[in-house]
């Protein structure tokens, strides 16, 4: 993983990147996106919240581990990771909402997708 140092993370250890960006930032991104989904708001409202989470992750790298605060490159990496995890959190929550609150209309096809239920023909005849 040392060959990714300088590309994905600037610290001396990949563990710091995994802890701060993936675990802490990912968790915060998941929870922010989940809150937006639970409020039945559209996905585009997640974008601003997730970009703020990525800025917070960048600040933690700066404040605790002497990382670069204003770095477009590392902010973009943090934002991409947080956006991916946040998007999965939004879709997971929205799928659960749609298939539990509208179970007569939709059925779950995977943890992140749903589809319309096919009508059961109870044909009288």
């Amino acid at each position: 993983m040392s060959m990714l140092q300088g590309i994905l993370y600037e610290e001396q250890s990949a563990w710091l990147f995994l802890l701060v960006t993936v675990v802490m930032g990912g968790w915060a991104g998941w929870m922010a996106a989940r809150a937006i989904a639970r409020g039945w708001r559209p996905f585009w409202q997640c974008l601003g919240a997730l970009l703020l989470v990525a800025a917070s992750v960048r600040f933690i790298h700066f404040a605790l581990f002497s990382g670069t605060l204003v770095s477009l490159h590392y902010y973009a990496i943090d934002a991409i990771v947080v956006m991916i995890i946040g998007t999965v959190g939004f879709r997971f929550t929205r799928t659960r909402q749609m298939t539990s609150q509208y179970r007569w209309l939709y059925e779950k096809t995977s943890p992140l997708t749903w589809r319309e239920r096919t009508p059961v023909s109870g044909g009288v005849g």
Side-chain angles (χ1 to χ4, degrees):
M1 275 233 266
S2 65
M3 59 199 256
L4 296 177
Q5 198 264 339
I7 298 171
L8 286 181
Y9 58 93
E10 60 185 327
E11 291 88 2
Q12 295 300 316
S13 171
W15 294 109
L16 292 176
F17 170 77
L18 292 173
L19 174 68
V20 176
T21 301
V22 177
V23 175
M24 293 170 59
W27 177 80
W30 179 284
M31 296 305 286
R34 178 177 174 255
I36 290 168
R38 289 184 74 180
W40 291 98
R41 293 188 296 259
F43 175 74
W44 65 266
Q45 290 188 2
C46 284
L47 301 178
L50 296 175
L51 290 174
L52 287 174
V53 170
S56 301
V57 168
R58 183 84 324 248
F59 179 76
I60 291 170
H61 281 290
F62 167 74
L64 298 180
F65 305 109
S66 301
T68 308
L69 178 62
V70 183
S71 168
L72 184 60
H73 173 83
Y74 293 120
Y75 175 72
I77 298 294
D78 293 340
I80 289 168
V81 170
V82 168
M83 290 277 190
I84 290 169
I85 296 171
T87 299
V88 172
F90 183 90
R91 287 296 297 186
F92 183 82
T93 303
R94 184 56 49 93
T95 298
R96 188 170 344 148
Q97 285 177 309
M98 295 298 286
T99 57
S100 64
Q101 292 195 5
Y102 303 106
R103 79 174 43 103
W104 66 93
L105 291 175
Y106 303 109
E107 62 187 352
K108 189 183 289 191
T109 56
S110 77
L112 304 178
T113 60
W114 67 90
R115 68 173 175 217
E116 284 190 43
R117 286 191 180 271
T118 55
V120 177
S121 57
V124 176

